[in-house]
Every structure is written in structure tokens, then in C-alpha cells.
Amino acid sequence: MSFLKIEDLSIDLGEFKLVDVNLKVKKGDYLTIIGPTGSGKSILLETIAGFHKPEKGKIFLEGEDITDLPPEKRNMSIVYQDYVLFPHKTVFDNIAYGLKKKIKDKEKITEEITQIAEVLDIAHLLHRKPDTLSGGEQQRTALARALVVKPKLLLMDEPFSALDVKTKENLRKLVKKAINEYETTVLHVTHDFDDVWGLANRIVVMKNGRILQEGSVNDVFYKPSINFVADFVGTNVLEGEILGKENGLTKVKVGNCILLSVDDGKGKVRLSIRPEDIIISKNPIETSTRNEFKCKVKEIKKMGNLMYLILDMDGIKLRCILTPNALYSLDIKEGDGVYAIIKATNVRIIG
Ligand SMILES: Nc1ncnc2c1ncn2[C@@H]1O[C@H](COP(=O)(O)OP(=O)(O)OP(=O)(O)O)[C@@H](O)[C@H]1O
Ligand SMILES: [Mg+2]
């Protein structure tokens, strides 16, 4: 039995529709929901939380039909990008807010709050008011308030997006620790792939109110079902044809290039290569198990704290990623010739 099961869920909000959403989540899953802006990620989360009435479809939590339950009866907590803490209450009272509705024993309340405050490293802040806290501390408080009631589901809508890179990284570690300790099942909407790599075991990709692909992180990143998903997650997808085997590896013809893959396949196939799996070198490196191609750097773009390179590999467009430091030490400019080196284990045959 699925822990959370969404069946044929549709919602009509006038100008926006959520269409036939089907989703199964296991207990302990950490599911990230990604997709372009306006694709319905927040609406889906809010519907699971009970804020929108479905036009059709059902939501089950631990086998119980919760489709018509009011939000406060669903045993879920939601954390948003802005921290929505009560400004006049202390951190302790903020965290205690929902818990007091569940338990009356004051000692037990203090015990639970002390425990979550320790896990999230805010024990020293319990007497403070929210406006004296940093963004990261406020978000840890919001998380503590959400987790202390031991929700069946923790829903998070871009919880770290207002924070700087370092604070985000620290928060990811604390979230990981907290959800392990509390054995929480999480649905997390994000635009940041570091959240996906760092936290999730599953991903949902949405567009126009529909789920395009759902699967393990590896499946979605290495085996995107359609080109939109591939582009969205940055995976290079190439069309090719299998030529046969060579030393246990599969030879695939893509344009004028021949790539070697560890995967098996037949006939016409799609290949995937992750941008971070492409090694860039100014000089050729001779090894037997690797694919090595002379390319031209067409374009260099800064995206977040990484550099994206668009390479032209004999007419084939390849996206790859470097850190600004690596780009600087390689001394690469647009128009330069470079070698792209890809291990056969990183050339995946989608089928
Ligand atoms: N209450 C509402 N009534 C009608 N339309 C709405 C309502 N709330 C949101 N929408 C619309 O539904 C669409 C999906 O919104 P949603 O907030 O779920 O997008 P999102 O995927 O979370 O985007 P973002 O990444 O920008 O947060 C948007 O076009 C939005 O304008
Ligand atoms: Mg949103």
C-alpha cells in the first residue's frame, strides 16, 4: 500500500487546471517536485494540504480517503519560502503553537521543543523574537514548528529559496538529520537541483498542470522520458544507432561520431549524457574506456554559481558544466577548441 496515493486528481481554477494527476509516495520518501514557473507545483502541494477542492479524483493517506478532510485534520505541516512566524512570540512559543493543540502536558511540550531545537541547532535561540534572527535561523524555526507535531507529511514550497548558498547547504544537512530522526515523508517543491541531488530519492517533473515524469532521481536525470524533461533537467539527449559491440562496450553512431556505452541496446536509440559527466581538457588524454571528441566552444553562460558551456561536437550540441574556478584554470574562451571526454559508464542508452 502506498503511504500517499493521488488518483486521477483534477482541479479547475478557471485559468489554470491541474489535470489527471496520479502519484504514489512511499513512507520515508523524499520527493522533490520540479517544473517551470506556473506549472502547478504550489497548487498541487496546496491541494494535498487541503486548500483547494478537487473537481475529481481522490487523495489517500495511509489508505484513508482524505479528499474531503479540512486541512487541520490531515496531519500535514507546510513550510513556505517566507517564514511566516508570529512576530510577537518567542522562538519557543512559535514552535509550541501547533503542539499545544495536540498535547496539554507542559513538561512534555518543553521536552519535544528542546529535542527538535537541538536537532535543528536553534536551542540557543528559544528565548528570542523572530525579527532578531537571520533568515536561516527563522527558517530553522519554521521547520521546527512544522516537524515538532510529527506530521505524516511535511510539505515544503521552495523553503530555502530566500537563503544564500552556504546557509542553504547547512539547512539541507539539518533537514536531512531531522527527517531521519522523525522518519518524515517529504514533498518538496524546488527550483534548485542541489535540493534534488542532496535530499531527494524521487522526483516529479510538472508542466502545464500535468506530471510529465515521475521516478527515482537517477531515472529522471539519466533517462528523461521526453525532450522537455531532458532540457529542463539539463541532460544531453542524442539520437543514435547501435553499431554493435567492441570490447564489451556498445558502439553507438551519433552523427559522424561513435560513442561507447556500457549499456545495451538495439537499432535506433536515444543516448543521455549528464552535463557534469563531461570532462573538458585542452589537450587529448589517451585512455581506452573513454569517449574523446574534439569540440568547439560555442557559448559560455553563467548560471547560478556554475558555468555552462555549449560545445559543438562535429555538429552535435553538447551542454556541459564547469565550476568558474575550473573554467578559469583551463583558460577557455568562446571559439576555442577543446576535448570532451566522457566515460562509457556515463553514456546511458535510454532506449
Ligand atoms: N487561486 C488561484 N486561482 C486561479 N489560478 C491560480 C490560483 N493560484 C495560482 N493560480 C495560477 O495557477 C498557475 C500555477 O500556479 P502555481 O503557483 O502552482 O505555479 P508553480 O509551479 O508553483 O510556479 P512557481 O515556480 O513560480 O512557484 C499559475 O498560472 C497561477 O497564476
Ligand atoms: Mg510555486
Side-chain angles (χ1 to χ4, degrees):
M1 184 185 71
S2 305
F3 186 68
L4 171 73
K5 186 162 92 174
I6 299 177
E7 240 177 40
D8 300 323
L9 188 78
S10 293
I11 289 194
D12 191 345
L13 293 175
E15 285 171 34
F16 180 80
K17 289 183 174 55
L18 214 56
V19 190
D20 284 334
V21 170
N22 284 284
L23 185 65
K24 285 179 180 172
V25 179
K26 289 208 281 293
K27 191 168 166 55
D29 269 350
Y30 196 115
L31 178 93
T32 41
I33 302 169
I34 61 174
T37 179
S39 54
K41 305 180 295 294
S42 296
I43 300 278
L44 175 60
L45 218 59
E46 288 162 7
T47 307
I48 295 168
F51 301 130
H52 300 287
K53 199 176 155 37
E55 195 188 5
K56 71 175 186 70
K58 295 258 173 231
I59 305 174
F60 299 91
L61 189 61
E62 286 191 307
E64 183 198 354
D65 182 351
I66 61 159
T67 320
D68 298 318
L69 274 190
E72 66 277 8
K73 295 251 168 75
R74 292 189 180 206
N75 245 311
M76 299 177 190
S77 292
I78 189 156
V79 176
Y80 297 97
Q81 173 184 338
D82 37 14
Y83 323 112
V84 271
L85 298 171
F86 302 109
H88 304 298
K89 292 184 194 286
T90 60
V91 168
F92 183 96
D93 288 335
N94 263 285
I95 302 173
Y97 183 76
L99 193 59
K100 280 183 180 162
K101 293 183 189 158
K102 275 186 102 168
I103 45 178
K104 299 290 165 214
D105 180 345
K106 279 198 167 150
E107 262 177 46
K108 182 82 183 140
I109 290 174
T110 304
E111 196 183 303
E112 297 284 347
I113 292 175
T114 310
Q115 190 193 349
I116 189 70
E118 266 162 32
V119 174
L120 290 170
D121 196 19
I122 47 172
H124 57 297
L125 304 173
L126 289 173
H127 62 287
R128 299 255 292 266
K129 296 270 175 67
D131 64 358
T132 71
L133 304 178
S134 71
E137 289 165 346
Q138 290 189 38
Q139 201 55 318
R140 265 137 65 200
T141 305
L143 264 167
R145 185 176 62 185
L147 279 172
V148 79
V149 294
K150 303 199 170 84
K152 285 185 182 168
L153 271 187
L154 174 64
L155 307 173
M156 299 202 280
D157 197 350
E158 303 190 43
F160 313 141
S161 62
L163 306 171
D164 63 79
V165 175
K166 243 194 165 142
T167 310
K168 273 185 197 173
E169 201 43 55
N170 181 35
L171 253 164
R172 279 188 202 110
K173 282 192 195 127
L174 292 173
V175 163
K176 219 171 190 168
K177 192 166 97 186
I179 57 163
N180 279 340
E181 200 131 320
Y182 285 73
E183 295 178 347
T184 316
T185 307
V186 184
L187 270 61
H188 176 169
V189 170
T190 186
H191 283 281
D192 189 338
F193 289 157
D194 286 341
D195 288 338
V196 179
W197 291 119
L199 291 165
N201 66 325
R202 301 193 75 75
I203 325 183
V204 158
V205 185
M206 292 188 70
K207 188 190 175 194
N208 294 339
R210 293 171 194 270
I211 291 182
L212 297 183
Q213 192 173 0
E214 192 271 327
S216 72
V217 176
N218 270 332
D219 268 357
V220 174
F221 277 76
Y222 284 97
K223 301 199 165 180
S225 58
I226 54 171
N227 287 344
F228 175 83
V229 175
D231 279 344
F232 191 74
V233 301
T235 304
N236 294 292
V237 173
L238 314 174
E239 314 255 328
E241 192 163 4
I242 307 277
L243 296 180
K245 287 268 184 185
E246 185 180 283
N247 298 330
L249 298 174
T250 306
K251 277 168 68 173
V252 194
K253 187 171 174 356
V254 180
N256 296 322
C257 303
I258 292 177
L259 283 98
L260 297 173
S261 167
V262 286
D263 289 347
D264 292 321
K266 255 194 194 151
K268 287 202 181 351
V269 289
R270 289 158 73 231
L271 296 181
S272 84
I273 302 168
R274 284 294 303 163
E276 62 274 12
D277 290 339
I278 300 173
I279 300 158
I280 304 291
S281 165
K282 278 210 136 171
N283 301 304
I285 305 172
E286 290 304 326
T287 72
S288 57
T289 55
R290 287 175 171 187
N291 298 292
E292 182 166 315
F293 303 96
K294 181 123 210 252
C295 302
K296 193 168 175 174
V297 180
K298 295 270 287 183
E299 206 183 328
I300 301 178
K301 288 192 280 196
K302 187 166 166 50
M303 276 174 85
N305 49 348
L306 289 169
M307 305 305 291
Y308 271 68
L309 268 62
I310 308 289
L311 305 181
D312 180 347
M313 179 174 103
D314 205 355
I316 301 157
K317 191 178 117 182
L318 267 192
R319 249 182 308 232
C320 57
I321 296 178
L322 287 178
T323 61
N325 233 345
L327 186 74
Y328 178 75
S329 50
L330 280 164
D331 188 24
I332 298 171
K333 299 178 300 303
E334 285 178 1
D336 283 359
V338 293
Y339 288 86
I341 297 138
I342 313 153
K343 288 182 188 167
T345 43
N346 289 327
V347 177
R348 307 300 307 273
I349 296 174
I350 302 176

